Amino acid sequence: MSIANNHPGEVLTIKNLTVDFGGVRAVNNLSMTLLAGEMVALIGPNGAGKTTVFNLITNAFKATSGEILLNGKSVLGKSPDEICRMGISRTFQNIRLFPQMTAYENVELGLHSTPHYSLAEAFIRTPRARRAEIETRKKALELLEMVNLKDHANAQASSMPYGLQRRLEIARAMATSPQLLLLDEPAAGMNEDECNDLINLIRQIHTTMKYSIIVIEHHMAVVMELCKDSRIYVLSLGSLLTSGTPTEIQNDPQVIKAYLGERKNARENAPA
Ligand SMILES: Nc1ncnc2c1ncn2[C@@H]1O[C@H](COP(=O)(O)OP(=O)(O)OP(=O)(O)O)[C@@H](O)[C@H]1O
Ligand SMILES: [Mg+2]
């Protein structure tokens, strides 16, 4: 058992986290913290290791060394179910919905990952199971309403526009009543208007549900707006480059250099 040596008020404590994939050190000695109810961003050029950090927090990948604590308890070695029960939920950079199912069914599935009745009770439809079904339906519709998708409840997920699918992913992630919500590029592929709607939505969720949130995002306007009262962590080549307020980050020469390097590489690799 790990020693609970996080600071009071810290929901997430990452200490000296490292992961190697063969010869590639995707995350290098990373330490970061998240306070209860705080929303921070994790940014960095492509391949910096941002998604890998989420994969380590949710134990999809095994850390080479280091520690990750949720409320002082180690998450390392826990199964996906245990991670979910501990209160961690995420969305994916590459949307992972059940494409043939409706929006409602996708959220309902998320709710069933924490059932309050047994399979046998569900089978013989005991009053408790029936009450739970009604409750599930109500909760699923509430979640869809929260992300402004109630009118799309019966739409097949794959037929929904990309921006709406991203919202649906958020609703599904919320279905497990997380304490810590990890959003991996929620604004990817969105235009400016959609980004503004998304900012409002994430803010509203943050305020209403009191989640602690980490947002990975490339849209700088979204990052700066969401974190205007909090902090941003910047990763580069797996290591923490710096962390600070949006103003500090925007004016940090190291950050500018890391991003300029990315643009230069993109130009050099661009087809003629
Ligand atoms: N399962 C894996 N096996 C081997 N290498 C991996 C694996 N997952 C990630 N990597 C490597 O780790 C590094 C970090 O990747 P990661 O996906 O975390 O970057 P990222 O910061 O999320 O980038 P992007 O902004 O493009 O999404 C990259 O070099 C990537 O190729
Ligand atoms: Mg990524």
Side-chain angles (χ1 to χ4, degrees), residues 19-22 24-27 42-55 60-61 93-94 184-185 216-218 235 237-238 262:
V19 69
D20 292 326
F21 296 119
V24 177
R25 178 152 289 188
V27 174
L42 182 57
I43 68 167
N46 290 116
K50 305 179 296 294
T51 298
T52 303
V53 172
F54 279 10
N55 284 330
F61 293 164
Q93 182 170 352
N94 305 311
D184 197 346
E185 298 202 27
I216 293 176
E217 194 44 75
H218 281 290
L235 271 188
L237 301 172
E262 183 188 39

Side-chain angles (χ1 to χ4, degrees), residues 175-189:
T176 57
S177 303
Q179 181 184 9
L180 170 62
L181 182 62
L182 307 172
L183 302 174
D184 197 346
E185 298 202 27

Side-chain angles (χ1 to χ4, degrees), residues 208-245:
T208 329
M209 307 305 285
K210 312 221 180 314
Y211 298 145
S212 306
I213 300 180
I214 305 180
V215 189
I216 293 176
E217 194 44 75
H218 281 290
H219 279 259
M220 281 309 126
V222 174
V223 170
M224 298 302 160
E225 190 55 33
L226 284 178
C227 296
K228 64 180 178 195
D229 300 319
S230 67
R231 301 174 295 137
I232 298 169
Y233 284 92
V234 188
L235 271 188
S236 178
L237 301 172
S239 298
L240 184 68
L241 201 57
T242 185
S243 67
T245 64

Side-chain angles (χ1 to χ4, degrees), residues 102-112 132-155 167-168 171-172 174-175 201 209:
T102 64
Y104 171 83
E105 287 164 344
N106 268 280
V107 178
E108 192 190 28
L109 263 186
L111 289 165
H112 280 307
E133 274 172 27
I134 292 166
E135 193 49 39
T136 298
R137 179 157 183 83
K138 191 168 152 247
K139 182 101 193 279
L141 292 174
E142 272 170 18
L143 287 169
L144 286 169
E145 190 162 21
M146 248 183 240
V147 298
N148 298 330
L149 285 180
K150 206 171 175 187
D151 293 345
H152 298 264
N154 296 319
R167 282 168 175 263
L168 181 55
R172 194 197 48 189
M174 290 166 69
L201 173 68
M209 307 305 285

